[in-house]
Amino acid sequence: MFMIKPCLVLSTLLSVGSGVACITYGISPRNGMPRLPLPDLLYATINDLQSGLAAGTFTSVDLVNAYVARINEVNPVLHAVIEINPDALAIAASLDAERADGSTRGNLHGIPICIKDNIATLDKMNNTAGSFALLGAIPPSDSTIAAKLKAAGAIIIGKCNLSQWANYRSSNSTNGWSSRGGQTMGAYYPMQDPSGSSSGPGVTSGSIISPSSRNSLTGIKPSVGLTSRYLVVPISQTQDTVGPLTRTMMDAAYILSVIAGKDSHDNYTSAIPFETIPDYAAECTSNGLQSAKIGIPRNAITVSSTNGPEITAFNCQLGATIVDNADFPDLAGYLNFTGSSYTSDPVVGADFVADVANYFNEMTTNPNSIVDLKQLINFTETYVPEDYPDRNVASWLNAASLNITMGDAEYYTALLKQYYYGSNATILGALENYDLDALIIPSSMAPGYAAIAGYPIVTVPLGYYPATTNVTYNSRDTLVSLGPNFPFGLSFFGRRFSEATLVKYACAFEAATNNPYIIPNIQLVDVM
């Protein structure tokens, strides 16, 4: 056990009691004299935006106009947003009117948010998981997540592109590609692989953590059951979870407090051990690492010929009590476990067969009349825009060929193995054996362990690959999988439903970030 001094500074973009003013761009033409500065939208936090809205420096309508213009400015290159909400301006105007009448709904009131194109909304937007199979399908209601965001006053400005079907379709596709949205690319290097299934929002088994890490964002992948999955296009009810990707951890914490909670439509949420959802943002203080006992599962950290910058930065981390070599007790068993691979996991496959059929049958309008996986495979193989066979359906064929069914004895045997290898064999085993509050690991190595047992992960930016990094392309030669200025992150593991603790640690550690290579130039002053 030893102490390590912090090698990275707290972000000047966070309002964590640091007293640092927000970065500004331009002067508001409103609210008389003296005229007040406007926040630079590249760096603006929720707190910055709420301060300006409260002061009358700008309105939510101004924010929507500015953010839509910024999306349109870079989307032809990045393909991060699949569609814009045609009602966003009207929603913003109604929320401005509420504010003018002296009423606000909370920290998200009047704040534009983009959600992944697998979170259903009952409005003029589609919800397709990036597939034409769901184009025009109408859900019976908003998803629970969307309903909570709307009730909190958030403006759902659009739907973000994603790796089609959250990367559960093909063995030969690319991160960030969908038939509807095209190829999303990261913003830190031309043709950058955006990573993970939530590629558009990153620009949500690697969902949330991988795209956050590769796009210099913070991300919270909650415990399975902390957030409802009702009317979210499913992959696996044992592993699916919904969480925020944001510029700062405090912003992510605000959102998590809104979307977390029990839901009668999702029985996994009944496992939440508290009746009142924590105020996660209240955990964001500069001394959050004080008295923390954090372990490093060194046997799970792989050093390669290309990840040297990540390892160097990781070895120079935070001011806390660090227990090195707090190893996963049965890493060998985990690595030999077939369920550790998302696409070959029999539990995930059995879940998908049942869950995707249930989702299609929930729709009040189902234009392609798809009701099960067999029909989905047939549609995808025969509808030309789905790009088959260049992008195959191997994950689905594997799921369809399984001889286990959700709920049978073989399924539960496999599920118990999955929970063991994601808990006692790895995360929980290390936490208990070394009496730890949390574990840290490079984000590029983090997602699989937590996914199979539904444990939470929080990631924050850690650093960037140097300008001398060799450019490496993916197997299709269409995306840069590693290159100069590529971001990477640090992840915190904890026990189930320990998100408040993980947010506290992540906020205290949060590092300053670099700028992308491509930046939208339109600011609030340009639309007012």
Side-chain angles (χ1 to χ4, degrees), residues 384-395:
V384 173
E386 288 294 318
D387 203 23
Y388 178 89
D390 187 50
R391 299 174 195 266
N392 62 38
V393 291
S395 297

Side-chain angles (χ1 to χ4, degrees), residues 163-164 167 172-177 183 391 474 476 478-479:
S163 302
Q164 193 184 57
N167 247 349
N172 65 341
S173 191
T174 50
N175 291 321
W177 178 87
Q183 179 63 63
R391 299 174 195 266
N474 67 351
R476 284 176 169 261
T478 56
L479 292 173

Side-chain angles (χ1 to χ4, degrees), residues 23-28 37-41 521-526:
I23 298 174
T24 62
Y25 188 103
I27 301 296
S28 174
L38 296 164
D40 186 327
L41 295 183
N521 294 308
I522 293 170
Q523 295 281 354
L524 274 166
V525 71
D526 299 313

Side-chain angles (χ1 to χ4, degrees), residues 176-200:
W177 178 87
S178 74
S179 57
R180 275 199 69 218
Q183 179 63 63
T184 296
M185 296 183 186
Y188 282 83
Y189 193 83
M191 297 174 59
Q192 180 195 341
D193 186 326
S195 190
S197 74
S198 301
S199 309

Side-chain angles (χ1 to χ4, degrees), residues 122-372:
L122 185 57
D123 52 25
K124 295 174 185 174
M125 291 187 290
N126 286 286
N127 187 56
T128 68
S131 170
F132 287 101
L134 279 165
L135 186 64
I138 300 175
S141 67
D142 281 328
S143 62
T144 300
I145 294 294
K148 286 188 170 193
L149 288 170
K150 290 179 180 181
I155 303 163
I156 300 177
I157 198 172
K159 294 288 185 79
C160 293
N161 199 15
L162 70 165
S163 302
Q164 193 184 57
W165 293 97
N167 247 349
Y168 191 78
R169 169 189 152 176
S170 306
S171 63
N172 65 341
S173 191
T174 50
N175 291 321
W177 178 87
S178 74
S179 57
R180 275 199 69 218
Q183 179 63 63
T184 296
M185 296 183 186
Y188 282 83
Y189 193 83
M191 297 174 59
Q192 180 195 341
D193 186 326
S195 190
S197 74
S198 301
S199 309
V203 175
T204 165
S205 93
S207 228
I208 300 176
I209 301 305
S210 291
S212 292
S213 173
R214 268 293 179 252
N215 292 280
S216 199
L217 298 172
T218 65
I220 302 174
K221 186 171 185 180
S223 307
V224 170
L226 183 66
T227 55
S228 171
R229 290 83 50 84
Y230 178 61
L231 293 178
V232 176
V233 179
I235 302 298
S236 165
Q237 63 180 260
T238 59
Q239 294 192 27
D240 290 348
T241 187
V242 181
L245 294 81
T246 59
R247 186 170 180 85
T248 69
M249 185 52 61
M250 183 172 281
D251 286 356
Y254 282 140
I255 295 170
L256 184 61
S257 289
V258 167
I259 63 175
K262 296 179 180 180
D263 177 18
S264 61
H265 294 291
D266 184 347
N267 66 346
Y268 277 72
T269 63
S270 65
I272 295 174
F274 33 77
E275 290 302 318
T276 302
I277 297 301
D279 178 359
Y280 293 107
E283 302 294 334
C284 285
T285 62
S286 58
N287 63 351
L289 287 167
Q290 210 166 43
S291 302
K293 188 179 177 185
I294 296 175
I296 299 175
R298 190 66 67 174
N299 65 339
I301 296 175
T302 304
V303 179
S304 73
S305 60
T306 59
N307 69 0
E310 289 188 55
I311 301 301
T312 299
F314 177 79
N315 287 334
C316 178
Q317 342 85 359
L318 59 172
T321 300
I322 301 295
V323 179
D324 207 346
N325 298 309
D327 289 344
F328 290 155
D330 190 7
L331 181 64
Y334 169 87
L335 294 174
N336 290 322
F337 172 53
T338 56
S340 64
S341 171
Y342 192 58
T343 54
S344 64
D345 185 346
V347 173
V348 171
D351 284 350
F352 185 70
V353 171
D355 292 343
V356 79
N358 289 339
Y359 183 85
F360 274 111
N361 288 306
E362 286 260 24
M363 298 299 100
T364 60
T365 299
N366 185 352
N368 293 307
S369 301
I370 297 169
V371 297
D372 57 27

